[in-house]
């Protein structure tokens, strides 16, 4: 066994020796390959380094020179009004310089911990800082630390643009290295702490300490120093006056960084983090007041210059040409900060105003708010995003309907209880429903259900496209947007821009405050935005004409009307939900959080928002909800008083149409004026059907009149194809026309007509106030039989009465037997008895003769004639 064991052990050793020998051969073989690869990599590295050096050299050859003057003294920019006159200098006005020796260590430590904790270890560029910033961003959230050193930030803010390119970063690193060679660390830190933007127009830590805390820099506490150090990352977002909650969160991040890097203890950090930010801020009466009425406008200018290019208006020494009308701006300031023009309910009531040129989009004045306590405070005209209420209806509802569906202003829609497409109910602001109406009336009276129905017919995609063209940045549109329930809200600047396109025949120029920027070297940059056609001219005109109705009764914007000035505009209010009312303890259902008015003339467009900084404070019902309209009215009257304001002109693509009320049909020639609406249609899309409601009726036919002798009555009849009312009149023997009756029958009977008369009848069909041509029918009524033949002959006349002076009168109907001639006492007299009978015959004799009567019947002859065929026997009568 031992031998076997040894043999096994020996064999194992032998195998191990053989393996080791083989390994040496393999290593020797592979070592040659590695050597070649290593030498190749070294060669490539040398080539790469040479190429890199060449590239860096090429990139830095155009880098600007270090100008010591620029490092310490930024150049203010000049802001000019529309007339080229200086209104502000931006940059130097609000900067207090502080030397390094006067910078408290707590302030220095706060900035070093936040911006560059290895500032005193690197030489301008810090790879460790860069890597640490990446890790910090993952650990503490994005923005906890920046990758650039303080030295690099000084270089970037002073000499370079902010473009994110490799060339700029290389130049930044090169200049940072140079800066470190020429200046001490304390000098560089001094440059940085005096240059940085601390919010609004505040530059440098010394200025910021006075603005935010009302104290000199040397007196700031740890939590105050941390707040200052947190501002440069986003000065406006962390402005403690406007966003104290965000400022406090940022301050606490800075405190944690100070503890992390060993500048303070954990106890100091925790104690400082408990201090409320608002308790450290300067009291309102200590804050610098807004001494200039142009601050709100300059605020917009600063934002616009930043967007125009890689400019720093606070230090680049720019000359900025703006669109400001100083007179209009002064009046806006007067409106907002006094009660001389408009009476406000209290000092906390706020308003935002944008006034611009309708044709050019140039902003003439901006009202950023009332009773601003800090310079360039929150701007309610450009920063505030509030729901626009019904002012959105021309943009999302009726504008797209005319643009894409070619609706006329007469288009009918029914104001009725309705639902969104998802089944949710909604209603009108007053809880009433008024039935069918034109879209003009619906917009004039701000009815909600017609607006939503209109959007539903247009479609949300087309509505969004239309709004986007007008500068309203909606990513999506829901049906609730039709009545102003936007999620993010809009500013007065955006609303004024959108409305100006309606007043400018469909041309839209984005609202702008800057037209040109001149650099220090004399280079001029035109910043005027491009004008675009965003809608058809027929859409612009018809929406404008509809909006003019809003300022007329029963419109919702009558308080904004300026007599004699052609204005188009729209009011708007928002509302509280039931949940809001419960949350904010609001009991009056008519209270609103926002009240708007946006409108325009051919010269100016203005948008006005009113309300409180928080939606939790309502505008109570009544006159306060009309303040936006009163601001608009007074501002528009002021800027228009010395300027001719022509009315809006109807384009050739539009035609005027006469529409019958309650229809979408053309009025007929017979429609009463009181029933006619003068409206507008897109040419080629006007109604073709004419209303027959008030058309002239057809005349009755086959009119006939017949006399029935047996019944002694006239029967009048006529034909008519449909039911109607008929006026019947008659003229007898061509006399005056007399109305007999109004009937719906087609026949009429007239009893006991006058014998021997001629009857002319007239029949007229009546439809409302319209009457047909007359139909006529005539009939002659026969006379009674003739009376020439008496029934008997007259008898012999008696003896005349010589004393008689006149004979008794003859009776033509019965005959007068005494009608003898008194001069003929012996004449024969008699009278026939019959119609038209003659008088008795004449007698002869003395004047005192006595005559006798003839028979009561017989055929007489004309007076004084002799009776013919006397048959009766005369009765003697003695004359007296």
């Amino acid at each position: 066994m031992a031998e076997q064991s040894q043999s096994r052990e020996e064999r194992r050793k032998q195998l191990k020796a053989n393996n080791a020998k083989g390994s040496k051969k393999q290593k020797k073989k592979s070592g040659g390959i590695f050597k070649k690869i290593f030498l190749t990599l070294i060669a490539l590295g040398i080539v790469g380094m040479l190429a890199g050096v060449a590239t860096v050299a090429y990139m830095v050859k155009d880098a600007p020179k270090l100008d010591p003057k620029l490092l310490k003294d930024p150049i203010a920019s000049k802001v000019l009004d529309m007339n080229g006159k200086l209104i502000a200098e931006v940059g130097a006005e609000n900067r207090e310089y502080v030397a390094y020796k006067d910078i408290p260590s707590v302030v220095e430590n706060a900035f070093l911990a936040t911006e560059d904790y290895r500032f005193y270890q690197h030489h301008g560029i810090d790879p460790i800082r860069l890597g640490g910033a990446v890790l910090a961003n993952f650990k503490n959230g994005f923005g906890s630390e920046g990758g650039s050193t303080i030295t690099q930030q000084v270089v970037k803010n002073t000499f370079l643009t902010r473009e994110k390119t490799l060339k700029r970063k290389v130049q930044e690193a090169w200049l940072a290295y140079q800066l470190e060679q020429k200046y001490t660390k304390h000098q560089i830190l001094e440059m940085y702490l005096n240059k940085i933007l601390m919010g609004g127009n505040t530059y440098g830590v010394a200025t910021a300490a006075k603005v935010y805390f009302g104290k000199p820099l040397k007196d700031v506490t740890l939590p105050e120093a941390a707040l200052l150090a947190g501002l440069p990352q986003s000065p406006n977002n962390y402005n403690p006056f406007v966003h104290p909650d965000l400022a406090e969160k940022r301050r606490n991040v800075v405190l944690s960084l100070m503890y992390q890097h060993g500048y303070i203890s954990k106890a100091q950090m925790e104690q400082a983090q408990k201090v409320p930010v608002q308790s450290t801020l300067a009291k309102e009466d200590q804050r610098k007041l807004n001494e200039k009425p142009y601050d709100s406008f300059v605020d917009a200018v600063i934002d616009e210059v930043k967007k125009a290019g890689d400019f720093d208006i606070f230090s680049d020494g720019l000359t900025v040409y703006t669109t400001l009308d100083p007179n209009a701006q002064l009046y806006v300031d007067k409106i907002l900060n006094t009660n001389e023009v408009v009476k406000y309910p209290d000092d906390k009531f706020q308003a935002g105003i944008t006034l611009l040129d309708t044709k050019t989009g140039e902003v003439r004045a901006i009202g950023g708010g009332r009773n601003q306590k800090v310079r360039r405070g929150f701007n309610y005209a450009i920063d505030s995003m509030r729901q626009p209420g019904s002012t959105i209806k021309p943009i999302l509802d009726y504008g797209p309907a005319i643009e894409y569906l070619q609706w006329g202003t007469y288009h009918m829609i029914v104001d009725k209880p309705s639902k969104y497409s998802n089944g949710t109910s909604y209603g009108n602001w007053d809880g009433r429903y008024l039935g069918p109406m034109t879209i003009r009336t619906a917009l004039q009276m701000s009815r909600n259900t017609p607006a939503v129905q209109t959007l539903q017919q247009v479609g949300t995609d087309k509505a969004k496209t239309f709004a986007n063209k007008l500068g309203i940045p909606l990513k999506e549109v829901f049906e609730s947007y039709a009545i102003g329930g936007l999620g993010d809200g809009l500013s007065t600047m955006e609303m004024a821009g959108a409305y100006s396109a309606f007043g400018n025949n469909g041309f839209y120029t984005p609202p702008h405050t800057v037209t040109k920027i001149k650099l220090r070297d004399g280079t001029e940059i035109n910043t005027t935005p491009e004008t675009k056609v965003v809608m058809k001219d027929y859409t612009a005109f018809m929406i404008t004409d509809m909006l003019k109705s809003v300022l007329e009764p029963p419109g919702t914007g009558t308080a904004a009307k300026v007599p004699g000035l052609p204005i188009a505009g729209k009011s708007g209010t928002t509302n509280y939900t039931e949940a809001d009312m419960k949350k904010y303890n609001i009991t009056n259902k008519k209270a609103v959080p926002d009240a708007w008015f946006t409108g325009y003339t051919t010269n100016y467009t203005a948008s006005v928002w009113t309300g409180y900084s928080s939606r939790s404070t309502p505008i109570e019902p009544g006159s306060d909800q009309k303040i936006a309209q009163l601001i608009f009215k007074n501002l528009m009257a002021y800027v228009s008083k010395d300027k001719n304001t022509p009315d809006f002109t109807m384009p050739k693509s539009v035609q005027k149409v006469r529409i019958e009320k309650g229809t979408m049909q053309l009025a007929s020639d017979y429609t009463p004026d009181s029933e006619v609406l003068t409206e507008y249609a897109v040419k080629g899309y006007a109604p073709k059907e004419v209303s027959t409601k008030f058309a002239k009726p057809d005349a009755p036919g086959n009119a006939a009149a017949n006399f029935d002798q047996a019944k002694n009555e006239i029967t009048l009849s006529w034909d008519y194809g449909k039911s109607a009312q008929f006026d019947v009149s008659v003229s007898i023997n061509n006399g005056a026309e007399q109305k007999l009756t109004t009937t719906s029958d087609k026949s009429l009977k007239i009893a006991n007509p006058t014998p021997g008369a001629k009857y002319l009848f007239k029949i007229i069909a009546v439809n409302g106030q319209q009457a047909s041509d007359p139909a006529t029918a005539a009939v002659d009524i026969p006379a009674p039989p003739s009376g020439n033949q008496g029934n008997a002959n007259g008898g012999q006349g008696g003896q005349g009465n010589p004393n008689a002076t006149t004979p008794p009168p003859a009776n033509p109907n019965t005959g007068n037997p005494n009608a003898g001639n008194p001069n003929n006492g012996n004449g024969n007299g008699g009278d026939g008895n019959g119609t038209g009978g003659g008088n008795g015959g004449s007698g002869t004799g003395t004047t005192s003769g006595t005559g006798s009567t003839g028979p009561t019947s017989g055929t007489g002859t004309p007076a004084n004639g002799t009776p013919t065929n006397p048959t009766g026997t005369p009765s003697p009568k003695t004359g007296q």
Side-chain angles (χ1 to χ4, degrees), residues 408-411 438 440-441 541-542 545-546 549 650 654-663 665-667 671-681 687:
T409 59
Y410 55 84
H411 191 89
T438 64
R440 177 191 293 277
T441 300
F541 175 80
M542 287 197 279
D545 200 73
M546 290 165 63
S549 300
M650 184 178 78
V654 175
Q655 66 182 99
K656 191 179 290 189
V657 289
R658 295 174 73 253
I659 301 294
E660 192 166 282
K661 283 184 181 179
T663 75
Q665 299 175 329
L666 296 173
T671 304
D673 290 342
S674 61
E675 297 297 317
V676 176
L677 299 174
T678 300
E679 296 289 353
Y680 295 96

Side-chain angles (χ1 to χ4, degrees), residues 418-723:
S418 304
K419 295 181 179 181
Y420 295 120
S421 297
N422 63 8
T424 303
S425 299
Y426 65 93
N428 288 319
W429 57 272
D430 58 359
R432 297 187 303 137
Y433 302 94
L434 306 181
M437 60 179 58
T438 64
I439 59 173
R440 177 191 293 277
T441 300
L443 185 58
Q444 178 188 30
M445 300 179 67
S446 203
R447 310 307 294 171
N448 285 345
T449 67
V452 177
Q453 292 175 64
T454 299
L455 176 60
Q456 288 172 333
Q457 294 189 50
V458 169
T460 55
D461 288 342
K462 288 183 178 178
K464 184 184 78 169
T465 298
F466 190 82
N468 289 164
K469 288 181 179 181
L470 295 176
I472 304 299
L474 300 178
K475 295 180 180 178
E476 55 186 344
V477 171
F478 300 102
E479 290 179 1
S480 59
Y481 286 16
I483 52 179
L486 277 64
D488 296 331
L490 297 170
S491 69
T492 63
M493 182 80 80
E494 290 169 322
M495 291 301 296
Y499 269 59
S500 68
F502 292 119
N504 195 30
N505 300 314
F507 290 87
Y508 172 74
T509 306
H512 56 286
T513 61
V514 179
T515 59
K516 183 173 63 176
I517 298 173
K518 187 162 101 173
L519 308 183
R520 278 181 292 163
D521 62 3
T523 302
E524 293 187 351
I525 301 172
N526 186 350
T527 60
T528 302
E530 181 184 356
T531 299
K532 296 181 179 179
V533 178
V534 295
M535 70 181 83
K536 299 291 193 304
D537 57 0
Y538 59 71
T539 303
F541 175 80
M542 287 197 279
I543 286 293
T544 294
D545 200 73
M546 290 165 63
L547 289 176
K548 288 171 73 175
S549 300
V550 173
L551 284 80
E552 302 293 338
T556 58
T558 55
K561 181 177 180 180
V562 180
L565 202 63
I567 297 176
K570 184 70 186 74
S571 60
T573 56
T574 59
N575 64 291
Y576 291 107
T577 64
E578 293 293 335
D580 288 337
M581 297 184 71
K582 185 176 181 180
K583 177 181 177 182
Y584 302 137
N585 194 28
I586 297 171
T587 57
N588 195 321
K589 291 185 177 181
K590 293 184 178 180
V592 301
D594 309 280
W596 291 74
F597 193 86
T598 302
Y600 52 93
T601 67
T602 49
N603 292 328
Y604 294 102
T605 300
S607 182
V608 182
W609 166 87
T610 58
Y612 290 87
S613 59
S614 172
R615 293 183 78 253
S616 62
T617 304
I619 308 175
E620 296 298 338
S623 59
D624 290 352
Q625 294 184 9
K626 299 291 185 181
I627 289 178
Q629 297 186 36
L630 296 178
I631 291 175
F632 175 91
K633 173 183 179 178
N634 284 279
L635 177 58
M636 199 62 75
Y638 179 83
V639 296
S640 303
K641 62 181 179 179
D642 298 323
K643 194 167 186 176
N644 179 44
T645 304
D647 202 351
F648 304 94
T649 304
M650 184 178 78
K652 294 181 179 179
S653 59
V654 175
Q655 66 182 99
K656 191 179 290 189
V657 289
R658 295 174 73 253
I659 301 294
E660 192 166 282
K661 283 184 181 179
T663 75
M664 290 173 61
Q665 299 175 329
L666 296 173
S668 69
D669 293 338
Y670 308 103
T671 304
D673 290 342
S674 61
E675 297 297 317
V676 176
L677 299 174
T678 300
E679 296 289 353
Y680 295 96
V682 180
K683 190 167 288 185
Y685 291 88
K688 294 179 174 55
E689 187 175 352
V690 178
S691 173
T692 59
K693 180 179 179 181
F694 297 100
K696 184 176 181 179
D698 294 331
N702 298 323
N706 297 292
F707 175 67
D708 187 331
Q709 190 167 3
K711 295 182 178 180
N712 194 26
E713 67 180 12
I714 301 171
T715 300
L716 179 65
S717 64
W718 61 91
D719 293 337
Y720 205 74
K722 54 187 176 181
S723 60

Side-chain angles (χ1 to χ4, degrees), residues 254-330:
V254 172
L255 289 168
S256 67
L257 290 172
M258 292 181 73
Y259 164 68
Q260 176 185 334
H261 296 303
Y263 293 106
I264 59 175
S265 67
K266 185 175 182 180
Q268 288 175 308
M269 176 192 72
E270 292 174 346
Q271 184 177 1
Q273 288 178 336
K274 293 177 182 178
V275 177
V277 159
Q278 289 182 319
S279 69
T280 66
L281 300 180
K283 305 303 180 185
E284 288 192 358
D285 58 353
Q286 293 178 301
R287 301 175 190 178
K288 191 170 183 179
L289 296 178
N290 178 13
E291 298 172 344
K292 292 189 176 182
Y294 308 119
D295 277 352
S296 294
F297 189 91
V298 173
D299 188 17
V301 170
I302 292 170
D303 290 344
E304 203 167 310
V305 169
K306 288 180 180 178
K307 295 176 182 177
D310 186 32
F311 307 117
D312 187 344
I313 192 173
F314 297 99
S315 61
D316 286 352
L318 308 172
T319 301
V320 183
Y321 296 81
T322 77
T323 62
L324 176 76
D325 180 342
N327 293 328
Q329 185 65 53
L330 288 171

Side-chain angles (χ1 to χ4, degrees), residues 134-157:
V134 174
L135 294 176
N137 285 331
F138 279 104
K139 183 178 179 181
N140 299 322
F142 180 76
S144 298
E145 289 188 38
S148 296
T149 65
I150 285 178
T151 310
Q152 287 176 285
Q153 291 185 57
V154 170
V155 167
K156 178 177 64 177
N157 292 335

Side-chain angles (χ1 to χ4, degrees), residues 798-821:
Q799 182 176 357
N801 184 357
N803 297 320
T805 55
T806 44
N811 188 335
N813 296 320
T814 60
N816 187 354
N818 297 318
N821 189 332

Side-chain angles (χ1 to χ4, degrees), residues 92-378:
E93 299 166 314
N94 206 21
R95 184 193 302 273
E96 183 175 337
Y97 200 90
V98 59
Y100 175 79
K101 65 183 179 64
D102 297 320
I103 299 173
S105 59
V106 66
V107 174
E108 177 180 355
N109 293 340
F111 277 89
L112 292 178
T114 307
E115 299 296 334
D116 192 355
Y117 71 92
R118 282 176 43 82
F119 174 68
Y120 288 106
Q121 281 76 50
H122 62 68
H123 298 285
I125 307 168
D126 187 7
I128 296 177
R129 163 72 176 171
L130 182 61
V134 174
L135 294 176
N137 285 331
F138 279 104
K139 183 178 179 181
N140 299 322
F142 180 76
S144 298
E145 289 188 38
S148 296
T149 65
I150 285 178
T151 310
Q152 287 176 285
Q153 291 185 57
V154 170
V155 167
K156 178 177 64 177
N157 292 335
T158 307
F159 303 108
L160 300 174
T161 67
R162 287 169 175 76
E163 59 182 348
K164 295 180 180 181
T165 63
L166 178 60
K167 180 178 180 180
R168 199 270 291 171
K169 294 298 291 184
V170 170
Q171 290 182 346
E172 178 182 297
W174 169 246
L175 291 175
Y177 175 78
Q178 284 188 307
L179 192 66
E180 290 269 352
Q181 304 307 305
K182 292 187 177 183
Y183 296 91
T184 67
K185 288 288 186 178
H186 290 173
Q187 289 174 319
I188 294 172
L189 186 60
E190 179 180 315
M191 297 172 192
Y192 173 73
L193 292 178
N194 282 287
K195 279 183 175 295
I196 51 177
L197 174 63
M198 302 295 286
N201 190 31
T202 301
Y203 274 77
V205 292
T207 313
K210 287 189 174 180
V211 168
Y212 295 121
F213 311 125
K215 61 174 64 173
L217 185 64
K218 65 183 180 64
D219 294 334
V220 300
T221 63
L222 172 59
E224 291 169 347
L227 188 147
L228 294 178
L231 282 171
Q233 184 188 72
S234 184
N236 289 330
N237 287 331
Y238 297 138
N239 186 319
F241 293 148
V242 181
H243 305 293
D245 53 338
L246 297 179
E248 186 168 307
K249 290 179 181 179
R250 176 61 179 164
R251 180 204 66 182
N252 291 343
V253 170
V254 172
L255 289 168
S256 67
L257 290 172
M258 292 181 73
Y259 164 68
Q260 176 185 334
H261 296 303
Y263 293 106
I264 59 175
S265 67
K266 185 175 182 180
Q268 288 175 308
M269 176 192 72
E270 292 174 346
Q271 184 177 1
Q273 288 178 336
K274 293 177 182 178
V275 177
V277 159
Q278 289 182 319
S279 69
T280 66
L281 300 180
K283 305 303 180 185
E284 288 192 358
D285 58 353
Q286 293 178 301
R287 301 175 190 178
K288 191 170 183 179
L289 296 178
N290 178 13
E291 298 172 344
K292 292 189 176 182
Y294 308 119
D295 277 352
S296 294
F297 189 91
V298 173
D299 188 17
V301 170
I302 292 170
D303 290 344
E304 203 167 310
V305 169
K306 288 180 180 178
K307 295 176 182 177
D310 186 32
F311 307 117
D312 187 344
I313 192 173
F314 297 99
S315 61
D316 286 352
L318 308 172
T319 301
V320 183
Y321 296 81
T322 77
T323 62
L324 176 76
D325 180 342
N327 293 328
Q329 185 65 53
L330 288 171
Y331 190 72
V332 166
D333 188 65
K334 181 179 180 180
I335 289 175
L336 292 178
N337 294 301
T338 73
N339 282 312
E340 295 179 32
V341 181
V342 175
K343 186 176 180 180
Y344 296 96
D346 54 64
D347 288 342
K348 293 183 178 180
F349 190 91
Q350 280 296 343
I353 304 171
T354 297
L355 174 72
L356 52 82
D357 187 299
T358 301
K359 297 181 180 67
T360 65
E362 295 180 348
V363 179
R364 298 299 181 212
I366 293 177
R370 298 184 63 241
N371 306 314
Q372 300 286 61
K373 300 301 182 183
V374 294
R375 198 163 198 187
R376 293 194 64 241
F378 187 77

